[in-house]
Amino acid sequence: MWLGIMLTATGLLIGLLIGFNIPVILPQDYAKYMSVAALAALDSVFGGIRAAIEDKFDHGIFVTGFFSNALLAAGLTYIGDRLGIDLYLAAVVAFGVRLFQNLAIIRRHILKNKIT
């Protein structure tokens, strides 16, 4: 169980280090798309960590959820842009709530296992 969590956390840290050290400049028009896709990806990562802690982790579910969440969020943003509506806010709220819920469950599990 902990090996999966450590591999996930290590992969996330390596990805962050690479992302911060590669100079990529994106046009302002893509800022909403990238931010919503990143939030969706983070939701999937924290959901994967939560599933690993609960011994329910499945690689197929994680990978498909990772990409489908990011594509759905980017798709909502695109449709909202075309309609002139800020639909990306729906994705931000939904993924933000799930992100904080997963983080709270992970935190409780870690604190519970440290105390006992």
Side-chain angles (χ1 to χ4, degrees), residues 6-43:
M6 293 307 292
L7 287 174
T8 304
T10 303
L12 180 62
L13 288 174
I14 290 171
L16 287 171
L17 287 173
I18 291 171
F20 285 131
N21 289 313
I22 294 177
V24 176
I25 299 172
L26 295 172
Q28 185 69 26
D29 296 338
Y30 297 137
K32 282 193 275 188
Y33 296 101
M34 292 303 295
S35 62
V36 172
L39 186 60
L42 275 175
D43 171 57

mmCIF file of all heavy atoms in Angstrom, residues 6-43:
data_model
loop_
_atom_site.group_PDB
_atom_site.id
_atom_site.type_symbol
_atom_site.label_atom_id
_atom_site.label_comp_id
_atom_site.label_asym_id
_atom_site.label_seq_id
_atom_site.Cartn_x
_atom_site.Cartn_y
_atom_site.Cartn_z
ATOM 1 N N MET A 6 3.965 6.098 -2.190
ATOM 2 C CA MET A 6 5.272 6.717 -2.375
ATOM 3 C C MET A 6 5.589 6.901 -3.860
ATOM 4 O O MET A 6 6.158 7.926 -4.255
ATOM 5 C CB MET A 6 6.366 5.884 -1.690
ATOM 6 C CG MET A 6 6.245 5.884 -0.175
ATOM 7 S SD MET A 6 6.176 7.528 0.539
ATOM 8 C CE MET A 6 7.807 8.103 0.189
ATOM 9 N N LEU A 7 5.231 5.923 -4.686
ATOM 10 C CA LEU A 7 5.457 6.057 -6.132
ATOM 11 C C LEU A 7 4.616 7.197 -6.708
ATOM 12 O O LEU A 7 5.099 7.980 -7.536
ATOM 13 C CB LEU A 7 5.136 4.756 -6.849
ATOM 14 C CG LEU A 7 6.140 3.630 -6.666
ATOM 15 C CD1 LEU A 7 5.633 2.349 -7.315
ATOM 16 C CD2 LEU A 7 7.482 4.014 -7.244
ATOM 17 N N THR A 8 3.380 7.315 -6.246
ATOM 18 C CA THR A 8 2.515 8.389 -6.718
ATOM 19 C C THR A 8 3.066 9.745 -6.306
ATOM 20 O O THR A 8 3.139 10.678 -7.113
ATOM 21 C CB THR A 8 1.088 8.213 -6.168
ATOM 22 O OG1 THR A 8 0.597 6.926 -6.545
ATOM 23 C CG2 THR A 8 0.155 9.280 -6.701
ATOM 24 N N ALA A 9 3.446 9.858 -5.047
ATOM 25 C CA ALA A 9 3.992 11.133 -4.559
ATOM 26 C C ALA A 9 5.302 11.479 -5.254
ATOM 27 O O ALA A 9 5.539 12.638 -5.616
ATOM 28 C CB ALA A 9 4.192 11.066 -3.048
ATOM 29 N N THR A 10 6.145 10.481 -5.480
ATOM 30 C CA THR A 10 7.413 10.712 -6.176
ATOM 31 C C THR A 10 7.169 11.163 -7.612
ATOM 32 O O THR A 10 7.806 12.098 -8.089
ATOM 33 C CB THR A 10 8.281 9.437 -6.152
ATOM 34 O OG1 THR A 10 8.487 9.037 -4.799
ATOM 35 C CG2 THR A 10 9.606 9.663 -6.836
ATOM 36 N N GLY A 11 6.241 10.509 -8.289
ATOM 37 C CA GLY A 11 5.903 10.904 -9.656
ATOM 38 C C GLY A 11 5.356 12.319 -9.721
ATOM 39 O O GLY A 11 5.690 13.091 -10.621
ATOM 40 N N LEU A 12 4.527 12.668 -8.729
ATOM 41 C CA LEU A 12 3.988 14.020 -8.681
ATOM 42 C C LEU A 12 5.091 15.045 -8.462
ATOM 43 O O LEU A 12 5.136 16.078 -9.145
ATOM 44 C CB LEU A 12 2.939 14.123 -7.573
ATOM 45 C CG LEU A 12 2.266 15.475 -7.382
ATOM 46 C CD1 LEU A 12 1.493 15.871 -8.634
ATOM 47 C CD2 LEU A 12 1.331 15.425 -6.189
ATOM 48 N N LEU A 13 6.005 14.764 -7.550
ATOM 49 C CA LEU A 13 7.113 15.696 -7.293
ATOM 50 C C LEU A 13 8.030 15.834 -8.498
ATOM 51 O O LEU A 13 8.449 16.942 -8.841
ATOM 52 C CB LEU A 13 7.909 15.239 -6.071
ATOM 53 C CG LEU A 13 7.216 15.425 -4.723
ATOM 54 C CD1 LEU A 13 8.044 14.813 -3.606
ATOM 55 C CD2 LEU A 13 6.959 16.895 -4.462
ATOM 56 N N ILE A 14 8.340 14.720 -9.148
ATOM 57 C CA ILE A 14 9.193 14.778 -10.340
ATOM 58 C C ILE A 14 8.502 15.590 -11.440
ATOM 59 O O ILE A 14 9.129 16.429 -12.102
ATOM 60 C CB ILE A 14 9.550 13.361 -10.834
ATOM 61 C CG1 ILE A 14 10.506 12.692 -9.848
ATOM 62 C CG2 ILE A 14 10.162 13.403 -12.233
ATOM 63 C CD1 ILE A 14 10.743 11.219 -10.121
ATOM 64 N N GLY A 15 7.206 15.367 -11.620
ATOM 65 C CA GLY A 15 6.458 16.132 -12.614
ATOM 66 C C GLY A 15 6.446 17.616 -12.310
ATOM 67 O O GLY A 15 6.591 18.451 -13.207
ATOM 68 N N LEU A 16 6.289 17.963 -11.036
ATOM 69 C CA LEU A 16 6.318 19.367 -10.653
ATOM 70 C C LEU A 16 7.690 19.988 -10.892
ATOM 71 O O LEU A 16 7.794 21.112 -11.395
ATOM 72 C CB LEU A 16 5.920 19.531 -9.183
ATOM 73 C CG LEU A 16 4.438 19.331 -8.872
ATOM 74 C CD1 LEU A 16 4.212 19.301 -7.370
ATOM 75 C CD2 LEU A 16 3.605 20.415 -9.522
ATOM 76 N N LEU A 17 8.743 19.263 -10.535
ATOM 77 C CA LEU A 17 10.091 19.781 -10.761
ATOM 78 C C LEU A 17 10.373 19.997 -12.247
ATOM 79 O O LEU A 17 10.937 21.019 -12.642
ATOM 80 C CB LEU A 17 11.131 18.838 -10.155
ATOM 81 C CG LEU A 17 11.228 18.832 -8.635
ATOM 82 C CD1 LEU A 17 12.173 17.733 -8.165
ATOM 83 C CD2 LEU A 17 11.693 20.189 -8.137
ATOM 84 N N ILE A 18 9.984 19.034 -13.055
ATOM 85 C CA ILE A 18 10.186 19.175 -14.504
ATOM 86 C C ILE A 18 9.360 20.349 -15.029
ATOM 87 O O ILE A 18 9.843 21.169 -15.807
ATOM 88 C CB ILE A 18 9.821 17.865 -15.237
ATOM 89 C CG1 ILE A 18 10.841 16.765 -14.905
ATOM 90 C CG2 ILE A 18 9.747 18.090 -16.745
ATOM 91 C CD1 ILE A 18 10.438 15.392 -15.407
ATOM 92 N N GLY A 19 8.107 20.426 -14.588
ATOM 93 C CA GLY A 19 7.233 21.499 -15.061
ATOM 94 C C GLY A 19 7.721 22.888 -14.697
ATOM 95 O O GLY A 19 7.600 23.827 -15.481
ATOM 96 N N PHE A 20 8.272 23.031 -13.492
ATOM 97 C CA PHE A 20 8.750 24.345 -13.079
ATOM 98 C C PHE A 20 10.087 24.716 -13.711
ATOM 99 O O PHE A 20 10.436 25.896 -13.770
ATOM 100 C CB PHE A 20 8.862 24.428 -11.559
ATOM 101 C CG PHE A 20 7.537 24.562 -10.867
ATOM 102 C CD1 PHE A 20 7.227 23.737 -9.809
ATOM 103 C CD2 PHE A 20 6.615 25.502 -11.276
ATOM 104 C CE1 PHE A 20 6.007 23.852 -9.161
ATOM 105 C CE2 PHE A 20 5.395 25.631 -10.644
ATOM 106 C CZ PHE A 20 5.088 24.801 -9.580
ATOM 107 N N ASN A 21 10.843 23.749 -14.179
ATOM 108 C CA ASN A 21 12.166 24.030 -14.726
ATOM 109 C C ASN A 21 12.219 24.077 -16.249
ATOM 110 O O ASN A 21 13.252 24.433 -16.805
ATOM 111 C CB ASN A 21 13.187 23.016 -14.196
ATOM 112 C CG ASN A 21 13.471 23.248 -12.731
ATOM 113 O OD1 ASN A 21 13.702 24.363 -12.317
ATOM 114 N ND2 ASN A 21 13.419 22.180 -11.948
ATOM 115 N N ILE A 22 11.152 23.722 -16.921
ATOM 116 C CA ILE A 22 11.116 23.813 -18.374
ATOM 117 C C ILE A 22 10.394 25.108 -18.738
ATOM 118 O O ILE A 22 9.238 25.296 -18.372
ATOM 119 C CB ILE A 22 10.399 22.597 -19.001
ATOM 120 C CG1 ILE A 22 11.202 21.330 -18.744
ATOM 121 C CG2 ILE A 22 10.180 22.809 -20.487
ATOM 122 C CD1 ILE A 22 10.531 20.081 -19.260
ATOM 123 N N PRO A 23 11.060 25.998 -19.440
ATOM 124 C CA PRO A 23 10.430 27.288 -19.760
ATOM 125 C C PRO A 23 9.397 27.143 -20.882
ATOM 126 O O PRO A 23 9.735 27.133 -22.058
ATOM 127 C CB PRO A 23 11.606 28.159 -20.197
ATOM 128 C CG PRO A 23 12.609 27.188 -20.717
ATOM 129 C CD PRO A 23 12.427 25.918 -19.920
ATOM 130 N N VAL A 24 8.148 27.018 -20.506
ATOM 131 C CA VAL A 24 7.059 26.923 -21.477
ATOM 132 C C VAL A 24 6.183 28.150 -21.304
ATOM 133 O O VAL A 24 5.726 28.448 -20.201
ATOM 134 C CB VAL A 24 6.225 25.640 -21.261
ATOM 135 C CG1 VAL A 24 5.046 25.601 -22.203
ATOM 136 C CG2 VAL A 24 7.080 24.407 -21.434
ATOM 137 N N ILE A 25 5.965 28.855 -22.386
ATOM 138 C CA ILE A 25 5.110 30.037 -22.350
ATOM 139 C C ILE A 25 3.864 29.731 -23.168
ATOM 140 O O ILE A 25 3.945 29.460 -24.365
ATOM 141 C CB ILE A 25 5.837 31.271 -22.907
ATOM 142 C CG1 ILE A 25 7.068 31.570 -22.059
ATOM 143 C CG2 ILE A 25 4.900 32.457 -22.963
ATOM 144 C CD1 ILE A 25 7.955 32.641 -22.615
ATOM 145 N N LEU A 26 2.733 29.739 -22.477
ATOM 146 C CA LEU A 26 1.462 29.472 -23.146
ATOM 147 C C LEU A 26 0.722 30.783 -23.363
ATOM 148 O O LEU A 26 0.796 31.696 -22.542
ATOM 149 C CB LEU A 26 0.592 28.553 -22.279
ATOM 150 C CG LEU A 26 1.141 27.152 -22.051
ATOM 151 C CD1 LEU A 26 0.295 26.429 -21.036
ATOM 152 C CD2 LEU A 26 1.160 26.388 -23.357
ATOM 153 N N PRO A 27 -0.016 30.875 -24.459
ATOM 154 C CA PRO A 27 -0.818 32.079 -24.687
ATOM 155 C C PRO A 27 -1.873 32.240 -23.586
ATOM 156 O O PRO A 27 -2.342 31.267 -23.000
ATOM 157 C CB PRO A 27 -1.490 31.821 -26.035
ATOM 158 C CG PRO A 27 -0.701 30.742 -26.676
ATOM 159 C CD PRO A 27 -0.098 29.948 -25.574
ATOM 160 N N GLN A 28 -2.246 33.477 -23.327
ATOM 161 C CA GLN A 28 -3.234 33.782 -22.289
ATOM 162 C C GLN A 28 -4.566 33.078 -22.557
ATOM 163 O O GLN A 28 -5.289 32.749 -21.626
ATOM 164 C CB GLN A 28 -3.438 35.300 -22.221
ATOM 165 C CG GLN A 28 -4.346 35.747 -21.107
ATOM 166 C CD GLN A 28 -3.734 35.535 -19.737
ATOM 167 O OE1 GLN A 28 -2.525 35.502 -19.597
ATOM 168 N NE2 GLN A 28 -4.584 35.402 -18.742
ATOM 169 N N ASP A 29 -4.868 32.832 -23.826
ATOM 170 C CA ASP A 29 -6.133 32.186 -24.182
ATOM 171 C C ASP A 29 -6.248 30.772 -23.618
ATOM 172 O O ASP A 29 -7.350 30.269 -23.427
ATOM 173 C CB ASP A 29 -6.293 32.125 -25.706
ATOM 174 C CG ASP A 29 -6.395 33.503 -26.328
ATOM 175 O OD1 ASP A 29 -6.760 34.442 -25.596
ATOM 176 O OD2 ASP A 29 -6.108 33.627 -27.533
ATOM 177 N N TYR A 30 -5.121 30.114 -23.394
ATOM 178 C CA TYR A 30 -5.136 28.739 -22.905
ATOM 179 C C TYR A 30 -5.049 28.640 -21.389
ATOM 180 O O TYR A 30 -5.032 27.540 -20.842
ATOM 181 C CB TYR A 30 -3.983 27.941 -23.508
ATOM 182 C CG TYR A 30 -4.060 27.806 -25.011
ATOM 183 C CD1 TYR A 30 -2.929 27.958 -25.790
ATOM 184 C CD2 TYR A 30 -5.256 27.530 -25.649
ATOM 185 C CE1 TYR A 30 -2.985 27.834 -27.169
ATOM 186 C CE2 TYR A 30 -5.333 27.411 -27.021
ATOM 187 C CZ TYR A 30 -4.186 27.562 -27.773
ATOM 188 O OH TYR A 30 -4.258 27.444 -29.120
ATOM 189 N N ALA A 31 -4.986 29.749 -20.693
ATOM 190 C CA ALA A 31 -4.807 29.730 -19.237
ATOM 191 C C ALA A 31 -5.949 29.004 -18.540
ATOM 192 O O ALA A 31 -5.723 28.183 -17.636
ATOM 193 C CB ALA A 31 -4.670 31.145 -18.705
ATOM 194 N N LYS A 32 -7.182 29.282 -18.938
ATOM 195 C CA LYS A 32 -8.332 28.608 -18.308
ATOM 196 C C LYS A 32 -8.292 27.116 -18.562
ATOM 197 O O LYS A 32 -8.546 26.315 -17.658
ATOM 198 C CB LYS A 32 -9.646 29.181 -18.832
ATOM 199 C CG LYS A 32 -10.020 30.503 -18.236
ATOM 200 C CD LYS A 32 -11.462 30.843 -18.547
ATOM 201 C CE LYS A 32 -11.580 31.505 -19.881
ATOM 202 N NZ LYS A 32 -12.916 32.020 -20.155
ATOM 203 N N TYR A 33 -7.963 26.726 -19.786
ATOM 204 C CA TYR A 33 -7.940 25.310 -20.138
ATOM 205 C C TYR A 33 -6.894 24.560 -19.309
ATOM 206 O O TYR A 33 -7.158 23.482 -18.775
ATOM 207 C CB TYR A 33 -7.625 25.120 -21.630
ATOM 208 C CG TYR A 33 -8.661 25.689 -22.546
ATOM 209 C CD1 TYR A 33 -8.472 26.903 -23.182
ATOM 210 C CD2 TYR A 33 -9.845 25.007 -22.766
ATOM 211 C CE1 TYR A 33 -9.426 27.425 -24.030
ATOM 212 C CE2 TYR A 33 -10.816 25.517 -23.616
ATOM 213 C CZ TYR A 33 -10.598 26.724 -24.234
ATOM 214 O OH TYR A 33 -11.559 27.235 -25.069
ATOM 215 N N MET A 34 -5.716 25.135 -19.220
ATOM 216 C CA MET A 34 -4.628 24.470 -18.491
ATOM 217 C C MET A 34 -4.905 24.410 -16.991
ATOM 218 O O MET A 34 -4.618 23.409 -16.338
ATOM 219 C CB MET A 34 -3.297 25.178 -18.757
ATOM 220 C CG MET A 34 -2.814 25.038 -20.174
ATOM 221 S SD MET A 34 -2.637 23.324 -20.701
ATOM 222 C CE MET A 34 -1.344 22.785 -19.629
ATOM 223 N N SER A 35 -5.461 25.482 -16.448
ATOM 224 C CA SER A 35 -5.726 25.483 -15.014
ATOM 225 C C SER A 35 -6.806 24.476 -14.649
ATOM 226 O O SER A 35 -6.681 23.760 -13.652
ATOM 227 C CB SER A 35 -6.108 26.882 -14.537
ATOM 228 O OG SER A 35 -7.289 27.313 -15.157
ATOM 229 N N VAL A 36 -7.846 24.378 -15.445
ATOM 230 C CA VAL A 36 -8.915 23.419 -15.161
ATOM 231 C C VAL A 36 -8.417 21.994 -15.382
ATOM 232 O O VAL A 36 -8.724 21.099 -14.593
ATOM 233 C CB VAL A 36 -10.155 23.731 -16.034
ATOM 234 C CG1 VAL A 36 -11.198 22.653 -15.903
ATOM 235 C CG2 VAL A 36 -10.743 25.058 -15.639
ATOM 236 N N ALA A 37 -7.634 21.764 -16.413
ATOM 237 C CA ALA A 37 -7.087 20.429 -16.652
ATOM 238 C C ALA A 37 -6.126 20.026 -15.537
ATOM 239 O O ALA A 37 -6.128 18.872 -15.093
ATOM 240 C CB ALA A 37 -6.381 20.377 -18.006
ATOM 241 N N ALA A 38 -5.319 20.967 -15.053
ATOM 242 C CA ALA A 38 -4.408 20.669 -13.943
ATOM 243 C C ALA A 38 -5.181 20.358 -12.664
ATOM 244 O O ALA A 38 -4.819 19.456 -11.915
ATOM 245 C CB ALA A 38 -3.454 21.839 -13.721
ATOM 246 N N LEU A 39 -6.251 21.093 -12.413
ATOM 247 C CA LEU A 39 -7.075 20.827 -11.244
ATOM 248 C C LEU A 39 -7.726 19.453 -11.340
ATOM 249 O O LEU A 39 -7.776 18.703 -10.351
ATOM 250 C CB LEU A 39 -8.145 21.913 -11.098
ATOM 251 C CG LEU A 39 -9.000 21.873 -9.843
ATOM 252 C CD1 LEU A 39 -8.137 22.014 -8.596
ATOM 253 C CD2 LEU A 39 -10.048 22.963 -9.891
ATOM 254 N N ALA A 40 -8.192 19.081 -12.518
ATOM 255 C CA ALA A 40 -8.783 17.761 -12.723
ATOM 256 C C ALA A 40 -7.742 16.665 -12.526
ATOM 257 O O ALA A 40 -8.025 15.622 -11.923
ATOM 258 C CB ALA A 40 -9.388 17.663 -14.119
ATOM 259 N N ALA A 41 -6.531 16.898 -13.013
ATOM 260 C CA ALA A 41 -5.465 15.915 -12.841
ATOM 261 C C ALA A 41 -5.092 15.766 -11.368
ATOM 262 O O ALA A 41 -4.887 14.653 -10.871
ATOM 263 C CB ALA A 41 -4.253 16.318 -13.664
ATOM 264 N N LEU A 42 -5.010 16.883 -10.638
ATOM 265 C CA LEU A 42 -4.715 16.814 -9.202
ATOM 266 C C LEU A 42 -5.811 16.078 -8.447
ATOM 267 O O LEU A 42 -5.534 15.323 -7.509
ATOM 268 C CB LEU A 42 -4.544 18.219 -8.628
ATOM 269 C CG LEU A 42 -3.182 18.835 -8.761
ATOM 270 C CD1 LEU A 42 -3.204 20.274 -8.265
ATOM 271 C CD2 LEU A 42 -2.152 18.035 -7.994
ATOM 272 N N ASP A 43 -7.058 16.286 -8.853
ATOM 273 C CA ASP A 43 -8.162 15.550 -8.233
ATOM 274 C C ASP A 43 -7.976 14.052 -8.433
ATOM 275 O O ASP A 43 -8.169 13.271 -7.506
ATOM 276 C CB ASP A 43 -9.495 16.005 -8.830
ATOM 277 C CG ASP A 43 -10.639 15.128 -8.386
ATOM 278 O OD1 ASP A 43 -10.852 15.006 -7.161
ATOM 279 O OD2 ASP A 43 -11.322 14.560 -9.254
#
